[in-house]
Amino acid sequence: MTADASPQPTSPLLPRAARVFVAGHRGLVGSAVARRLAADGHEVVTRGREQLDLRDAARTEAFLCDVRPDAVVLAAARVGGIMANSTSPVQFLEDNLRIQLGVIAGAYAAGVPRLLFLGSSCIYPKLAEQPIREEALLTGPLEPTNEAYAIAKIAGITQVQSYRRQYGAAYISAMPTNLYGPGDNFDLATSHVLPALIRRFHEARESGAPRVVLWGTGTPRREFLHVDDVAAACALLLERYDGDAPVNIGCGEDLPISELASLVREVTDYRGEIAWDTGKPDGTPRKLLDVSRLTGLGFKPAVPLRDGIAATYAWWRSRPTP
Ligand SMILES: NC(=O)C1=CN([C@@H]2O[C@H](COP(=O)(O)OP(=O)(O)OC[C@H]3O[C@@H](n4cnc5c(N)ncnc54)[C@H](OP(=O)(O)O)[C@@H]3O)[C@@H](O)[C@H]2O)C=CC1
Ligand SMILES: C[C@H]1O[C@H](OP(=O)(O)OP(=O)(O)OC[C@H]2O[C@@H](n3cnc4c(=O)[nH]c(N)nc43)[C@H](O)[C@@H]2O)[C@@H](O)[C@@H](O)C1=O
């Protein structure tokens, strides 16, 4: 098995009306993947965290042996923005290692023939050449604000590759860029930037605040992909990709956080100023993914950033208040 993409099969790798266990089905990505797979005619199997804590490897293996799905999508993880990653590296390392160990090993023990593991674009070196090709993995030092999370995700990629190389399992990995959409986390202490900006501008407009203070310098660049697009990419990979190398998932375009802020300010109709708290971390300066491997399989993102932000804002505003 080489590190390059394998030739693509002509027949689907996922049977029609497959039973797919979506781990993390209540999360941003897992919920979108579950919707997409159900719409494609698959049977989606789920378990809430209160029924099955995926850090418990023995219970996870017993569940998978009992259910015996045709495929597993591993979208359960400890996930968060730059501040949560910086302040809780122990949980980001240990929870993710434990979830991955239990789900991937449990799937193989249960004879599950197909598995998709989701990593993240933060696995690549902080100063990787842009756009970042999959081959950049393990070629340089990582971004310190999310090193623990990145190392857990890199271990997941190696675990998946090891099951392929040693046992011939059709297990694959995908590395999404920064994601957003309905179902995102809007808690300002733990969220990613996009929901944080929506909430900050909305609340400033409602309260009449003259300025909104954002983190860092506004100069870092980020690429944003709507969850419906990432779900479409996951479905495509499950059906068409069976290679050793991880596959980047992105839209191929990025923008500075300062421009993103201007866009969100417009969408939320906030008329005040934007200020920057440069005491807060910037994180990696840029992480634009090279998505040629994915587009070569036929992927094309469908949701323009402005439309996606407007839809996410509408979703958040219409949520039931606790
Ligand atoms: N969001 C992003 O910008 C990006 C995400 N990704 C990757 O996509 C995947 C999904 O992320 P996302 O949807 O954003 O994250 P969310 O935090 O929205 O969802 C994570 C899900 O995992 C579940 N989960 C976490 N821990 C456990 C556990 N111990 N046992 C059972 N379930 C658990 C959560 O359950 P509960 O609902 O009970 O909390 C939740 O449903 C992750 O692998 C992440 O690394 C990659 C790149 C960017
Ligand atoms: C998906 C990805 O997500 C994380 O990496 P990140 O892209 O750096 O994360 P972020 O979305 O939190 O920030 C992006 C940029 O935006 C700036 N920023 C401004 N104002 C706010 C703000 O109010 N909140 C947040 N969170 N960021 C803000 C912030 O300072 C930074 O420059 C990792 O978890 C990593 O592990 C990972 O995989």
Side-chain angles (χ1 to χ4, degrees):
M1 192 90 51
T2 72
D4 293 318
S6 303
Q8 295 314 306
T10 50
S11 61
L13 287 154
L14 193 66
R16 253 176 223 287
R19 297 179 78 211
V20 186
F21 172 51
V22 178
H25 72 289
R26 289 187 191 136
L28 172 68
V29 177
S31 58
V33 168
R35 282 194 299 274
R36 170 67 194 229
L37 293 175
D40 287 349
H42 300 297
E43 180 192 343
V44 176
V45 179
T46 60
R47 285 294 182 281
R49 187 203 293 251
E50 66 290 350
Q51 295 163 289
L52 177 62
D53 186 331
L54 294 167
R55 292 172 298 185
D56 183 334
R59 290 197 57 218
T60 301
E61 181 181 325
F63 160 74
L64 288 164
C65 287
D66 183 36
V67 171
R68 292 200 182 276
D70 298 307
V72 168
V73 177
L74 179 40
R78 165 81 66 161
V79 179
I82 192 166
M83 202 56 79
N85 268 272
S86 307
T87 53
S88 307
V90 171
Q91 286 71 28
F92 278 80
L93 182 76
E94 294 185 357
D95 283 0
N96 287 318
L97 285 173
R98 289 168 71 189
I99 290 170
Q100 291 160 199
L101 274 173
V103 174
I104 299 169
Y108 185 72
V112 177
R114 193 88 173 111
L115 179 142
L116 169 61
F117 165 65
L118 292 175
S120 163
S121 58
C122 71
I123 56 147
Y124 294 115
K126 174 180 178 128
L127 300 177
E129 193 183 319
Q130 308 285 319
I132 310 173
R133 301 179 66 219
E134 288 87 349
E135 288 76 8
L137 181 60
L138 295 173
T139 59
L142 297 163
E143 157 60 33
T145 55
N146 54 41
E147 189 175 81
Y149 175 75
I151 285 178
K153 292 290 186 181
I154 293 169
I157 296 170
T158 303
Q159 193 185 356
V160 164
Q161 288 173 330
S162 299
Y163 275 91
R164 292 186 67 84
R165 293 170 187 177
Q166 191 172 338
Y167 301 128
Y171 291 4
I172 58 174
S173 297
M175 302 301 122
T177 191
N178 289 43
L179 308 173
Y180 73 99
D184 212 340
N185 167 20
F186 282 75
D187 176 339
L188 294 175
T190 57
S191 77
H192 290 101
V193 62
L194 212 154
L197 297 194
I198 291 176
R199 179 168 180 173
R200 288 186 196 285
F201 286 123
H202 171 82
E203 291 183 349
R205 196 195 68 204
E206 296 289 289
S207 67
R211 82 181 50 81
V212 163
V213 181
L214 303 179
W215 295 351
T217 61
T219 57
R221 300 180 69 94
R222 293 289 184 274
E223 175 187 14
F224 294 94
L225 188 70
H226 190 273
V227 271
D228 288 349
D229 282 330
V230 84
C234 290
L236 181 72
L237 291 171
L238 281 169
E239 284 162 13
R240 307 254 335 259
Y241 183 74
D242 192 21
D244 186 79
V247 179
N248 290 340
I249 302 180
C251 63
E253 287 175 22
D254 66 356
L255 78 174
I257 295 299
S258 56
E259 272 182 35
L260 177 76
S262 299
L263 189 55
V264 177
R265 178 169 60 175
E266 274 175 42
V267 170
T268 54
D269 196 25
Y270 174 66
R271 310 285 169 90
E273 287 175 23
I274 298 174
W276 299 93
D277 176 357
T278 54
K280 295 283 194 306
D282 266 344
T284 196
R286 195 177 185 196
K287 46 175 178 174
L288 176 65
L289 293 178
D290 181 320
V291 288
S292 44
R293 185 168 281 158
L294 182 65
T295 52
L297 292 168
F299 174 74
K300 202 163 171 262
V303 185
L305 184 57
R306 178 185 287 271
D307 295 356
I309 292 172
T312 306
Y313 182 38
W315 172 84
W316 180 65
R317 291 187 81 181
S318 68
R319 76 205 182 284
T321 39

